[in-house]
């Protein structure tokens, strides 16, 4: 069966695999999470809590798990936490790009989680290095996340950095050097094959072929500088691999009064350009966390972090960008390096008409379809420098009221101040190109100097105050938090700051370590709402029952721990709102003449959007039912069912207003979306003599549905209500027309429909193929996400393997230029298997020169199953024995070899399983291998 590996992998999960910590069995993460240590602390908003008393749903990633050959924290989290879904998109020096969601999709707008670092919201994961992280906790249910306010409804990524520990003095250095290589390269046709197929496309359209037999014969033996050239851009301009290095040092020391942690690190990576100066990325970061106990009542915390990044590149850069200084938005797009590689045809232009010599730089070629020459852009167009500076600071004062006779009462207050500055400077030169007859296009002009091209800035000022009461009276344990959060975020170029204030209260009560009840109350505020209506109250509750503490289960020796839990509540969400939607908005539209003989004039302002003073929060209503168990001290289990319903989603609903309102209708709280799913994680770990081992994994399922959109369409199949939130709309393909006599409909989609074109279902039965014949044909995000983990240890030798997979989703290949050949674009190898009268079982429609033609629309013909299973991380390590460590007075000496994304299994092995368009318009996703060491004193 085509996808038998996915079924086997999923069955393996269900029958007993679960995630474990990679290095040491005694630190198995899921086992601790599931109750092996009832007193293990779980990081929650504004305070830690015993795992035994947590009624919500959380997942934990430790520092050892996050340290992989990935170069950014986001990518390194993939497959590490049940319920956290990580999607890799592209990679580049210092700019690996991933996006996250927690438990799937939630709303019509932004689905991303809130990132909180050391209690401060809206910090960036990219600002962190691996070795400063103590742990990452994923807050998934309503009781776990609601106290962070109206930006937390999609889930929270809670990062805790390291601090000094009393009695621990440690210095360490961690170094790594590795290589990165694209996982896949696109396969495009050479000039001769392209010319043959383009001639065929012209003949199909009733046009005269452009290329003669002599031209094609010349292409067969052509080089890159011939008048009729054959250029393999990937071979000439792309290196097979690049290298990176990173080194981090840490120092911590603490006594009864002072605890200090410091880390400093460097990371560098090169680009893939083989000609000219390759992209160079360098970053440095420092962090210092200080805790000082003034006396038995007062203590202070001071945390300071800074990061500096520099990127030097050619004018092309990895991705397309707006070429106008300060991004004025005139659509002056500069084509990036990878877009150029994937769009310039092999016969576009000779690289040089006269090749460079020791005496001459050569004359660059020019082609009519493209205004640039890739070699000129890399060598003669100048350069571009990027400078990023970030800083984060927290200053806090803690008070312990025990000395004043109020045992268990404490009060923590701190302020935070974060800044972000990004500056781009460049030296933009012009260069001459030459046509075949020697005509010069453009001039060689050196810029007079370096100039500012663009900049951006951001600052985040916050205040957090938390009063905690934590006491146990016999069988009665109380923990409560009363907190206030205020945050002000300002972005350069944005007139209005983003302000949020949230007041929260949590009361957690446990009786006899068996029965747990929790109440969470929040009063959320946002300046995106009308003054006087900016706050709203939201409650949530949770219950837990530790059945393994009951007498009727005490005799079951195999059952070490069993807890069931449930939570329910509501919270607001304001990231779907924009400022001033509660007011009418006016904008310039036209011109007004006035005065004597209309001699004066002024811009006219018209209504562009009606306001809605009653606009309010989007509301999330959620419940979670879960189970945690530990069986025979080795097998741990966690299962959750979650159900979320979003209502009052802000939308412009045209069906509710008369046509004379036009486009000026207000935003109203109207839309509704549901999301539900299940999570199952299992873990088995053990030890036999000197051998330790662990196997584990998880599987999650989620699906989000449009419940209410206000769509009013002529045909029910075009209505979004009841359809998946990630629905992929397209045409239902019934195969090819094999003869002109079969064409019984008229298409409005582009070009003529003849033999070799796709036959679409005429859903409306009107004899026309129009946009109204589209329906939901697939979905874009995985329904199933799963992870498998294996680790093995023997006398210092360690092996860890992590695999991650996804299933239940598809990808559309009609727009993928590495899969098709259409119009005047570059032709992919798959175009060789196009439909012809002699090739009826084709994977590509008949060729055409018409862009956006009938057969190249999104349809079921172009769908591919996007399921995959990828070996995300492999690490082989060796920890040297004490005798060797003592010879250099080290407490730890460990060497390792790592690999990331080395193997992947999917339905189409020619494309990256995470992103089939990887490398077409931005940097390739990469596989990585590295060597390194950890040394501690």
């Amino acid at each position: 069966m085509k996808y038998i590996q996915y079924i086997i992998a999923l069955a393996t999960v269900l029958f007993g695999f679960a995630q474990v910590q990679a290095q040491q069995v005694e630190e198995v993460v899921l086992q601790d999470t599931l109750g092996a240590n009832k007193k293990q602390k779980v990081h929650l908003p504004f305070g830690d809590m015993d795992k035994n008393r947590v009624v919500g749903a959380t997942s934990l990633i430790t520092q050892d798990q996050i340290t992989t050959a990935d170069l950014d924290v986001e990518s390194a989290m993939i497959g590490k936490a049940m319920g956290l879904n990580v999607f890799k998109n592209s990679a580049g020096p210092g700019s690996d790009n991933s996006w996250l969601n927690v438990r799937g999709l939630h709303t019509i707008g932004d689905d991303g989680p809130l990132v909180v670092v050391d209690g401060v919201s809206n910090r960036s994961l990219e600002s962190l290095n691996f070795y400063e992280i103590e742990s990452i906790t994923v807050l998934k249910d309503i009781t776990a996340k609601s106290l962070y306010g109206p930006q937390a409804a999609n889930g929270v990524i809670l990062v805790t950095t390291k601090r000094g520990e009393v009695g621990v003095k440690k210095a360490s250095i961690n170094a790594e050097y590795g290589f990165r290589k694209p996982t896949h390269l696109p396969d495009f046709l050479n000039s001769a094959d392209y010319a043959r197929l383009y001639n065929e496309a012209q003949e199909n359209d009733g046009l005269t072929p452009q290329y003669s037999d002599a031209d094609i014969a010349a292409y067969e033996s052509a080089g890159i500088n011939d008048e009729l050239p054959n250029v393999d851009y990937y071979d000439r301009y792309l290196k097979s691999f690049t290298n990176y290095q990173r080194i981090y040092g840490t120092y911590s020391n603490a006594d009864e009064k002072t605890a200090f942690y410091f880390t400093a690190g460097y990371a560098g990576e090169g680009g893939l350009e083989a000609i000219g100066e390759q992209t160079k990325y360098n970053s440095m970061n420092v962090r210092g966390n200080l805790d000082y106990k003034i006396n038995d009542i007062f203590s202070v915390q001071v945390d300071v972090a800074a990061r500096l990044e520099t990127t030097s590149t050619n004018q092309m850069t990895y991705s397309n960008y707006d070429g106008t200084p300060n991004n004025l938005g005139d659509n002056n797009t500069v084509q990036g390096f990878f877009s150029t590689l994937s769009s310039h045809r092999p016969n576009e232009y000779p690289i040089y008409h006269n090749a460079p010599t020791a005496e001459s730089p050569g004359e660059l070629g020019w082609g009519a379809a493209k205004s640039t020459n890739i070699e000129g852009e890399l060598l003669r167009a100048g350069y571009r420098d990027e400078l990023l500076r970030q800083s984060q600071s927290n200053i806090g004062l803690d008070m312990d009221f025990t000395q004043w006779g109020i045992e268990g009462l404490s009060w923590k207050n701190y302020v935070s101040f974060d800044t972000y500055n990004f500056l781009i400077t460049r030296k933009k030169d012009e260069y001459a190109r030459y046509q075949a007859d020697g005509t010069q296009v453009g001039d060689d002009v050196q810029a007079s100097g370096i100039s500012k091209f663009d900049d951006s800035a951001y600052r985040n000022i916050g205040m957090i105050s938390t009063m905690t009461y934590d006491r146990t009276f016999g069988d009665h344990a109380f923990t409560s938090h009363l907190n206030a959060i205020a945050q002000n975020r300002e972005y350069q170029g944005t007139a209005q700051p983003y302000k949020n204030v949230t007041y929260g209260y949590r009361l957690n009560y446990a009786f006899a370590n068996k029965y747990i009840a929790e109440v969470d109350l929040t009063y959320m505020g946002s300046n995106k709402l009308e003054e006087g209506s900016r706050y709203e109250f939201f409650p949530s509750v949770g219950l837990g029952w530790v059945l393994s503490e009951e007498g009727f289960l005490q005799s079951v020796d195999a059952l070490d721990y069993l807890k069931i839990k449930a939570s329910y509540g509501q919270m607001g969400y304001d990231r779907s709102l924009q400022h001033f939607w509660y007011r009418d908005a006016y904008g310039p539209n036209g011109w007004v003449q006035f005065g004597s003989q209309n001699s004066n004039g002024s811009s006219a302002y018209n209504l562009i959007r009606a306001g809605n003073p009653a606009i309010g929060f989007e509301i999330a209503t959620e419940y979670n039912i879960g189970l945690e168990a530990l069986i025979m001290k080795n097998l741990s289990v966690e299962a959750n069912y979650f159900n979320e319903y979003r209502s009052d989603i802000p939308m412009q609903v045209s069906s509710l207003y008369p046509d004379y309102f036009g486009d000026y209708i207000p935003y109203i709280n109207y839309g509704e979306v549901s999301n539900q799913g299940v999570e199952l994680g299992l873990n088995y770990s053990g030890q036999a003599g000197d051998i330790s081992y662990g196997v584990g994994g998880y599987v999650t399922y989620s699906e989000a549905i449009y419940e209410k959109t206000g769509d009013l369409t002529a045909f029910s199949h075009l209505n979004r209500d009841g359809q998946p939130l990630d629905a992929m709309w397209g045409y239902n393909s019934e195969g090819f027309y094999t003869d002109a006599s079969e064409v019984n409909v008229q298409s409005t989609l582009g070009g003529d429909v003849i033999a070799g074109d796709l036959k679409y279902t005429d859903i409306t039965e009107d004899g026309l193929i129009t946009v109204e014949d589209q329906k939901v044909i697939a979905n874009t995000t995985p329904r199933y996400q799963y992870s498998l983990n294996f680790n093995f240890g023997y006398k210092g030798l360690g092996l860890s393997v992590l695999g991650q997979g996804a299933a239940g989703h598809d990808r559309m290949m009609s727009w993928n230029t590495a899969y098709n050949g259409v119009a005047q674009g570059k032709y992919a190898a798959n175009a060789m298997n196009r439909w012809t009268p002699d090739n009826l079982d084709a994977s590509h429609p008949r060729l055409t020169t018409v862009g956006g033609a009938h057969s190249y629309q999104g349809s079921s013909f172009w769908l591919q199953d996007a399921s995959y299973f990828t070996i995300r991380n492999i690490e082989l390590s060796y920890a040297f024995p004490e005798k060797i460590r003592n010879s250099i007075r080290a407490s730890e000496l460990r060497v390792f070899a790592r690999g990331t994304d080395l193997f992947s299994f999917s339905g189409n092995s020619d494309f990256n399983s995470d992103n089939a368009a990887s490398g077409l318009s931005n940097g390739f996703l990469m596989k990585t291998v590295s060597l390194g060491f950890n040394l501690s004193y």
Side-chain angles (χ1 to χ4, degrees), residues 60 68 162 354 411 543 588 602 691 724 732 748 797 813 904 923:
L60 176 68
T68 70
K162 294 179 179 179
N354 295 308
W411 189 17
L543 296 172
S602 176
I691 298 175
N732 182 58
T748 65
L797 182 68
M813 301 297 287
S904 189

Side-chain angles (χ1 to χ4, degrees), residues 355-374:
T357 64
E359 293 77 25
S360 169
E363 294 181 349
L364 292 164
W366 178 85
K370 305 291 182 183
S371 62
T372 60
N373 178 300
I374 184 172

